[in-house]
Amino acid sequence: MIDKSIIRQILIDQREERRGLLERCGVERDGEGAIVQGLSDDLIKVITGVRRCGKSVLAHRALRGITYGYVNFDDERLFGVSVEALNTILEVLLELDPGLRYILLDEIQNIERWEIFVNRLQRQGYRVVLTGSNAHLLSRELATHLTGRHRLFEVYPYSFREYLRAHGQSKADVASMTTSERAATSALFLQYFTSGGFPELAQVVNPQLYLQDLYDRVLTRDIAMRHGVRHIRTLKDMAFYVANNCGSKLTYQNVAATYALGSLHTAKNYLSYFQEAYLFFAVEAFAFKVKERTRRARKMYGIDPALVRAAAAGMRDNIGLLLENVVYIELLRRRKTVHYFADQQGKYEVDFVSRNAEASEVELIQVCADMTRAETRDRELRGLFLAARQFGNLPDKNMMVLTLDTRGTEQVDGRNIFCIPVWEWLLGRAAD
């Protein structure tokens, strides 16, 4: 077991690190207020998201002004710490801050059987905040041991609204912007679209190297090590394949065949690992019967367009699919249920069928970087028109085309379909 004096030194070092962290990160995150309000109740707050998306900073910001204990289990000096040693860590926290009632446990999934310790902390009256980079691992243990006693907050890299705040622009009301403000905001969107939303990028000398290192760490530490993947080369090759085919259809069968896996089960596992680590996400085809959805090809999107570019050279100039990626992640931020739509003949598609939590309102979204070609315009508009009929003849307001920089109204068979620049849509409303 690790010596208590060593634990004490580690926690003292981490206290100093958190001060520097807060000094460097002054950007208010969407959803921060909800976490602050939630600190007054006894539910465990669980903040999850991809590595380096800002989970820890968000937790520290929410706890500002409160005396709280802090342990970062992503510290290599704490690797392999047993659940039995967690009680010693608690003793040291209480010695450093006698009487504390709030505890932040960072990257808690690195500790086996962590849920036993957290369960005890809650029973003893501590108010606990957890962060983690693995959706399935956390949710599985929470569902088993902490059912009904926790609240989950998912965090993503900066939204465009947050990106504007980070660059000193607080105004996000599109309707009240002057022409010069609109031009400046549009230019910042192109910068955001290129550089992505990971908070630390503005402070690094080589963003490309940073993103490639991040991508590799997610694959090796958050996936391969955690799941005991033996064929790491195959795992990385498959991730490269997914990154190069973001926004395109793929099936378990073609993935398994491409890498001679010999088993669909292995292909399913690897793709699920990507999703658990918040690296890639699968979008199923819409069908009114759930069984039919599972049989059809999926589309995969990455957590951040810049990370996709860094991982896959073939995607760097594919503006249309990367723009789709931006829209998809924003829909996740808004907690929408998302599918894509394809007609039976496979001739027309709609990029996103977006529904709210109650599935009471359907919104159809096409993403098209350039609408100038007549053939492209007809295909995109016709897809919306056909899908609208499938959903009970949706009203015009429930259909839109998101573009790189085109604004206006297009008509198809007497329907008015609105075209809006993506950056305007991103600022059209805050995430729920």
Side-chain angles (χ1 to χ4, degrees):
M1 181 180 289
I2 188 170
D3 187 80
K4 185 175 180 179
S5 63
I6 296 175
I7 290 176
R8 183 181 181 85
Q9 186 59 56
I10 292 171
L11 297 188
I12 290 173
D13 291 346
Q14 291 185 358
R15 281 160 66 100
E16 188 62 31
E17 290 169 6
R18 83 184 185 194
R19 292 193 189 97
L21 194 66
L22 281 172
E23 288 172 2
R24 296 194 306 271
C25 302
V27 179
E28 181 182 353
R29 300 300 300 267
D30 296 336
E32 187 174 315
I35 298 177
V36 172
Q37 289 180 355
L39 292 175
S40 60
D41 64 44
D42 294 331
L43 294 178
I44 296 169
K45 312 304 175 295
V46 185
I47 304 173
T48 65
V50 71
R51 182 180 288 268
R52 297 185 195 168
C53 71
K55 302 183 299 296
S56 303
V57 173
L58 175 58
H60 287 305
R61 284 180 58 84
L63 288 162
R64 284 176 303 174
I66 298 173
T67 299
Y68 64 97
Y70 169 58
V71 188
N72 177 11
F73 290 106
D74 215 28
D75 190 320
E76 76 282 354
R77 294 172 293 179
L78 292 176
F79 282 1
V81 166
S82 66
V83 70
E84 290 77 18
L86 294 178
N87 198 62
T88 304
I89 290 176
L90 178 60
E91 288 179 13
V92 175
L93 288 175
L94 292 171
E95 290 170 4
L96 293 173
D97 288 300
L100 70 83
R101 303 310 299 167
Y102 289 85
I103 298 176
L104 168 57
L105 304 176
D106 212 350
E107 299 295 351
I108 187 66
Q109 79 281 338
N110 289 337
I111 305 301
E112 290 186 9
R113 297 187 294 154
W114 58 268
E115 69 281 358
I116 299 172
F117 177 64
V118 171
N119 201 357
R120 177 160 63 88
L121 289 178
Q122 190 191 43
R123 290 200 312 270
Q124 292 175 348
Y126 292 100
R127 294 187 172 175
V128 184
V129 179
L130 310 176
T131 80
S133 300
N134 187 292
H136 177 70
L137 188 64
L138 284 170
S139 63
R140 182 185 67 199
E141 306 303 348
L142 290 168
T144 303
H145 299 277
L146 302 170
T147 303
R149 286 175 284 160
H150 69 279
R151 184 178 175 189
L152 184 66
F153 299 86
E154 287 189 307
V155 181
Y156 299 89
Y158 279 159
S159 66
F160 184 46
R161 190 181 294 268
E162 292 168 331
Y163 187 83
L164 291 180
R165 287 188 210 128
H167 285 76
Q169 181 173 322
S170 58
K171 188 173 184 178
D173 180 9
V174 177
S176 65
M177 286 182 181
T178 65
T179 300
S180 61
E181 286 171 338
R182 287 178 61 87
T185 307
S186 178
L188 276 172
F189 171 72
L190 293 178
Q191 182 177 308
Y192 169 72
F193 183 49
T194 302
S195 62
F198 283 96
E200 294 178 346
L201 275 175
Q203 303 163 13
V204 302
V205 176
N206 190 329
Q208 179 77 2
L209 189 61
Y210 174 93
L211 289 168
Q212 289 172 342
D213 175 69
L214 168 59
Y215 175 76
D216 190 67
R217 281 174 178 263
V218 172
L219 288 174
T220 55
R221 291 180 61 173
D222 297 334
I223 297 178
M225 289 176 60
R226 188 152 294 138
H227 292 284
V229 175
R230 289 179 298 168
H231 305 291
I232 297 178
R233 182 70 265 165
T234 301
L235 177 77
K236 290 187 174 183
D237 286 346
M238 190 181 297
F240 182 71
Y241 174 81
V242 172
N244 273 286
N245 288 277
C246 272
S248 301
K249 296 175 185 176
L250 59 83
T251 64
Y252 295 134
Q253 288 83 355
N254 61 33
V255 170
T258 300
Y259 295 100
L261 296 178
S263 167
L264 290 184
H265 184 68
T266 302
K268 289 179 180 179
N269 282 345
Y270 283 8
L271 290 175
S272 70
Y273 296 161
F274 297 152
Q275 295 182 80
E276 290 169 15
Y278 293 94
L279 187 60
F280 297 108
F281 303 87
V283 178
E284 293 183 338
F286 180 84
F288 290 100
K289 295 181 179 179
V290 175
K291 190 174 182 180
E292 186 179 341
R293 292 179 196 173
T294 60
R295 288 201 302 259
R296 299 176 68 181
R298 292 157 177 76
K299 291 185 177 183
M300 303 290 289
Y301 293 97
I303 184 65
D304 180 83
L307 190 64
V308 172
R309 281 190 175 99
M315 286 294 293
R316 289 175 187 170
D317 298 321
N318 200 326
I319 303 301
L321 289 179
L322 289 170
L323 208 59
E324 276 184 42
N325 210 123
V326 170
V327 172
Y328 174 70
I329 296 300
E330 180 62 20
L331 289 171
L332 290 188
R333 288 192 189 95
R334 297 179 184 185
R335 297 199 287 276
K336 300 292 187 179
T337 299
V338 186
H339 295 88
Y340 74 89
F341 173 86
D343 71 333
Q344 292 296 325
Q345 293 72 38
K347 185 176 181 182
Y348 294 105
E349 290 189 5
V350 173
D351 295 319
F352 302 117
V353 177
S354 169
R355 294 176 294 163
N356 57 18
E358 297 78 24
S360 58
E361 185 175 17
V362 175
E363 192 171 45
L364 303 177
I365 301 173
Q366 291 284 40
V367 183
C368 183
D370 184 4
M371 289 279 285
T372 57
R373 291 181 57 195
E375 181 183 351
T376 300
R377 185 168 61 251
D378 179 71
R379 183 183 65 246
E380 302 293 331
L381 298 176
R382 184 64 57 182
L384 285 170
F385 176 76
L386 292 174
R389 289 199 307 192
Q390 291 288 321
F391 288 95
N393 209 25
L394 291 175
D396 294 355
K397 68 181 181 66
N398 289 47
M399 298 182 285
M400 71 175 71
V401 180
L402 299 179
T403 70
L404 196 58
D405 55 13
T406 301
R407 199 178 203 288
T409 303
E410 297 285 347
Q411 291 191 330
V412 55
D413 291 350
R415 306 294 295 271
N416 292 313
I417 298 175
F418 305 102
C419 299
I420 307 169
V422 168
W423 71 265
E424 287 191 23
W425 177 77
L426 292 172
L427 299 179
R429 54 168 290 179
D432 292 333

